[in-house]
C-alpha cells in the first residue's frame, strides 16, 4: 500500500504515494475521469494533497478540503503556480460547515 505519512492532526494517514497511485485501479479510474470532468472534484480529507495534485495535473478543478491548515499549506506547495486557478483550498468541516452554490 505504499509509504504512509501520519497526518499533522494525528487523525489518519496519507497513503497515496506514486507507487500506490500507479497500482491502484481506483486511483487510475478517478484520474481518467478527471481528464473529462466538467465539474470540480471535492477531495475530502485531502491530507497532504496527493490526490489533489494528480487531479490538477490532469486538468481538473479541485476543492482541496482539509481541516488542518498545515496540510493545505503543504498541498498548495505541491501544485505548480500556473494551476492555482484550478485549486480551491478549504478548511471547513465536511459536510456540516460546507456550503456550495446551486448546481
Amino acid at each position: 500500500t505504499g509509504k504512509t505519512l501520519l497526518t499533522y492532526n494525528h487523525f489518519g494517514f496519507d497513503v497515496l504515494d506514486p507507487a500506490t497511485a500507479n497500482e491502484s485501479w481506483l486511483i487510475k479510474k478517478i484520474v481518467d475521469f478527471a481528464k473529462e470532468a466538467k465539474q470540480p472534484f471535492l477531495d475530502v480529507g485531502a491530507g497532504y494533497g496527493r490526490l489533489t495534485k494528480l487531479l490538477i495535473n490532469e486538468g481538473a478543478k479541485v476543492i482541496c478540503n482539509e481541516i488542518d491548515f498545515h496540510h493545505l499549506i503543504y498541498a498548495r506547495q505541491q501544485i505548480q503556480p500556473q494551476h492555482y486557478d484550478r485549486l480551491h483550498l478549504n478548511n471547513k468541516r465536511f459536510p456540516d460547515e460546507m456550503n456550495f452554490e446551486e448546481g
Side-chain angles (χ1 to χ4, degrees), residues 56 76-88:
I56 292 279
R76 185 175 182 269
Q77 291 173 342
Q78 305 310 302
I79 306 301
Q80 296 176 359
Q82 66 265 30
H83 300 305
Y84 286 167
D85 62 327
R86 292 187 279 114
L87 174 66
H88 177 80

Side-chain angles (χ1 to χ4, degrees), residues 3-103:
K3 180 180 177 184
T4 59
L5 298 173
L6 181 64
T7 57
Y8 278 103
N9 57 20
H10 301 277
F11 284 164
F13 295 90
D14 190 332
V15 297
L16 183 60
D17 63 9
T20 305
N22 289 330
E23 295 170 6
S24 170
W25 66 269
L26 181 58
I27 299 300
K28 286 180 185 178
K29 291 284 187 185
I30 292 169
V31 170
D32 285 344
F33 183 75
K35 296 174 185 176
E36 306 297 326
K38 304 291 186 235
Q39 298 294 326
F41 280 81
L42 174 60
D43 188 358
V44 176
Y48 294 97
R50 292 174 174 185
L51 179 59
T52 292
K53 180 180 176 180
L54 288 173
L55 297 173
I56 292 279
N57 287 344
E58 292 300 331
K61 293 179 183 177
V62 180
I63 301 166
C64 182
N65 181 242
E66 178 55 56
I67 59 173
D68 192 310
F69 73 92
H70 294 99
H71 292 273
L72 293 177
I73 292 168
Y74 185 88
R76 185 175 182 269
Q77 291 173 342
Q78 305 310 302
I79 306 301
Q80 296 176 359
Q82 66 265 30
H83 300 305
Y84 286 167
D85 62 327
R86 292 187 279 114
L87 174 66
H88 177 80
L89 301 175
N90 184 26
N91 71 337
K92 305 239 186 258
R93 291 194 180 273
F94 179 84
D96 298 334
E97 296 179 358
M98 297 185 69
N99 296 309
F100 295 102
E101 295 178 18
E102 190 67 29

